[in-house]
Amino acid sequence: MFKISKRGLAAIIAAVLITVGFCMAKYAESGAGAVDVRRTEFLTSDGHRMSAKLYIPKNATAETPAPAILAAPGGNANLENLSDPCIELSRRGFVVMAFDPYTIGRSDSVSAPDNGAREAMKYMRSLAFVDNENIGAFGHSAGTGRARWAVTDDGEQKHVAEGIKAVFYLAAGQFDLEGVNHGIYIGSWDNTYPAGGAHLSARELDTAESFTTTLGVDRIEFGKWYGSVADGSARVFYTGNSGHPSALVLPQPILIMTDFFSQALHAPLLEAKGLIYPWKEFGTALGIIGILMMMFPVLSILFDMPFFESVKRPMPEPVSGVNAPFLFYCIMPAVINTLLCKWAIYNGQNFLGGFNRVLRINNTNGFVFWFACSAMLTVVILAIRFRWDGTIDRERILTHAKTTWPNFFKSLLLGVMAVGVVFGLTYFADVLSGLAPRIWKVQLNTLDARRIGVFLTYFPLYLLFFGVFNFSQTIGLKIKGQSEGRFTFLVWLTSTIPSAAFLIYAYGKLWITGYTAITNVQMSRANGTLLNTILTYFITCKVTTYCYKKTGGYHTGAVINAILMTWTAVAADIILAV
């Protein structure tokens, strides 16, 4: 009988997930073959590089140009985050172009008030298969401001350019332009309403003066069209059961947007039934799971190499069991970390943003600052336990912490080689399918030269933090008789409690009062960061326990986790232009 080893079986499963996942995602993104999807780069009139993705339906040709829509991502998001509405719009007959604003994704880091939105619009309108008299744009969150820049042609952003017929604002915006049809969607679970600077409750949107005054009504009827499409005076306000980031992935807002553009830019040219974009989300999720899963058989092979033999040692005896000090060690850091979360993420961006010539990714700065506070808290808890817990084996802890410089560099090399395989598979998937492996906003994007430089800046910080976290978790959470699966779950649970508790608090307050815990962009970034953290910890906690079992130490796991977390942090986010 042919026998397959565990790591061989894991590698086969990972390869199947990668292949099936990306084939499924590519098929869905192309609208089941009805749309030609192209990843492209172009130079702006000032010579800057911009990155974009074009969705070209089969009906769009030089002989029969089609209506076109520019898609502007919000905040720190790159073009991949807009793929779901882009898929559904394009398979209904619209040319769609999503772009990476300046400083984000693969576009150059340039300081410009419109973040390159007008240059992106100019490029899209230069394409032969685009109907220049039937142009629209949409933006999500801060992308609504970029969409406004894109559809106007003056410095005050008040004069709508010729040929622009419709603009749609998703999760923010106002009816603030004359001569262009407007659609706005803000969900009942949204967390920011920048209407005239007012902090509004989702329950007040239909009577908010910033909207009602423009429409000339006392109360807005959601979904009702006010004005005329023909002369560009149409206005329509939508709401639904969605939050800020989820407006880009839920069926209701996406179908609302397709219906809006079908009316505001006249009927689409292709018939499309149902929704196909969920298969793209599912496929890319399978792909990222397969790529990350492949890391473990690779690690198993590396650990068996004689060169890395010295990094391995017997696993120390675990803590005796669940007792009062153990519960204190598990619960107290999580509780205090939860209380720190809001303050640290909000203020960390501002504090570390003062060092923007070095720490150039503002959204990551808030997360790094929170990690720094968490690491210091962990050290304090360890010191307390050292002082007061008479059952603790100090010799075991000191032995566990020791390594030699040669072995540390071997751990570093081992981590680079293991994650290098993940990076290679990501690059391979990108080249073949044009897709970034992702779950939610957690993306494994290939790094260009600029982002490699930023990676090297943040990596030592993440390595320091994960060194503290992995050390404390491996000495404090391993219990006698505990399986690796239960060990991994306990590490994940204690790591995740702060993020989950804060999100429960934030959305609980929204549900009870209609107001958010943090307003405007800070809430949006905290929200996205913490949701991403919960997902990312599934892999980092598994790395922690797997490497601990293999090496009896925490160093290799800390290196790999620091590489992975730094990679996801810098791969697509805003690089501050200095």
Side-chain angles (χ1 to χ4, degrees), residues 124-144:
M124 185 185 77
R125 298 188 71 171
S126 73
L127 301 172
F129 46 80
V130 166
D131 178 2
N132 246 306
E133 298 305 312
N134 214 1
I135 300 295
F138 79 86
H140 173 253
S141 187
T144 59

Side-chain angles (χ1 to χ4, degrees), residues 540-552:
T540 59
C541 293
K542 177 61 179 177
V543 167
T544 297
T545 57
Y546 180 83
C547 291
Y548 184 54
K549 181 184 74 173
K550 287 287 188 179
T551 68

Side-chain angles (χ1 to χ4, degrees), residues 27-324:
Y27 181 72
E29 188 173 55
S30 69
V35 179
D36 178 20
V37 184
R38 305 175 189 172
R39 193 69 198 250
T40 185
E41 290 186 351
F42 59 92
L43 291 179
T44 68
S45 57
D46 294 325
H48 303 305
R49 181 182 56 143
M50 288 204 77
S51 173
K53 182 177 276 192
L54 277 162
Y55 298 77
I56 309 165
K58 298 302 182 185
N59 58 280
T61 66
E63 293 74 29
T64 59
I69 301 167
L70 185 71
N76 58 313
N78 71 337
L79 60 81
E80 186 71 16
N81 290 85
L82 300 180
S83 64
D84 296 347
C86 290
I87 289 168
E88 297 303 331
L89 286 165
S90 61
R91 64 190 287 259
R92 285 162 172 79
F94 300 104
V95 174
V96 186
M97 190 179 93
F99 69 100
D100 282 337
Y102 287 147
T103 75
I104 295 174
R106 302 179 188 178
S107 292
D108 281 348
S109 298
V110 180
S111 180
D114 69 337
N115 292 107
R118 286 185 177 168
E119 290 289 346
M121 177 65 83
K122 179 180 176 182
Y123 175 78
M124 185 185 77
R125 298 188 71 171
S126 73
L127 301 172
F129 46 80
V130 166
D131 178 2
N132 246 306
E133 298 305 312
N134 214 1
I135 300 295
F138 79 86
H140 173 253
S141 187
T144 59
R146 295 162 186 165
R148 176 173 171 156
W149 275 102
V151 300
T152 56
D153 57 10
D154 65 319
E156 299 298 318
Q157 308 167 66
K158 292 182 178 179
H159 183 263
V160 177
E162 290 294 327
I164 305 291
K165 304 297 185 185
V167 61
F168 193 93
Y169 297 143
L170 190 61
Q174 291 176 263
F175 299 117
D176 52 1
L177 293 173
E178 296 295 329
V180 63
N181 299 308
H182 279 71
I184 295 177
Y185 176 95
I186 297 177
S188 58
W189 287 87
D190 214 317
N191 54 17
T192 177
Y193 308 107
H199 182 207
L200 302 176
S201 164
R203 298 162 193 169
E204 301 170 350
L205 289 174
D206 59 342
T207 57
E209 289 186 5
S210 53
F211 298 119
T212 57
T213 301
T214 307
L215 297 180
V217 297
D218 293 326
R219 182 182 293 273
I220 295 171
E221 184 179 337
F222 292 119
K224 177 181 177 179
W225 286 69
Y226 297 86
S228 170
V229 170
D231 63 7
S233 65
R235 305 285 185 268
V236 57
F237 198 170
Y238 304 95
T239 192
N241 192 24
S242 68
H244 199 72
S246 61
L248 285 171
V249 297
L250 292 177
Q252 185 185 26
I254 291 175
L255 286 173
I256 282 172
M257 195 188 309
T258 59
D259 178 69
F260 168 81
F261 280 114
S262 294
Q263 296 186 58
L265 292 179
H266 312 299
L269 304 176
L270 297 178
E271 182 181 353
K273 296 180 180 180
L275 295 167
I276 199 172
Y277 79 86
W279 292 105
K280 192 259 183 180
E281 293 289 343
F282 183 62
T284 51
L286 286 182
I288 195 173
I289 291 169
I291 285 174
L292 292 170
M293 185 177 175
M294 188 67 80
M295 183 169 59
F296 293 97
V298 171
L299 277 169
S300 178
I301 293 170
L302 292 173
F303 281 132
D304 285 347
M305 290 182 175
F307 179 77
F308 293 111
E309 187 66 30
S310 61
V311 304
K312 297 189 294 184
R313 58 193 180 196
M315 199 161 47
E317 283 295 313
V319 294
S320 58
V322 179
N323 52 24

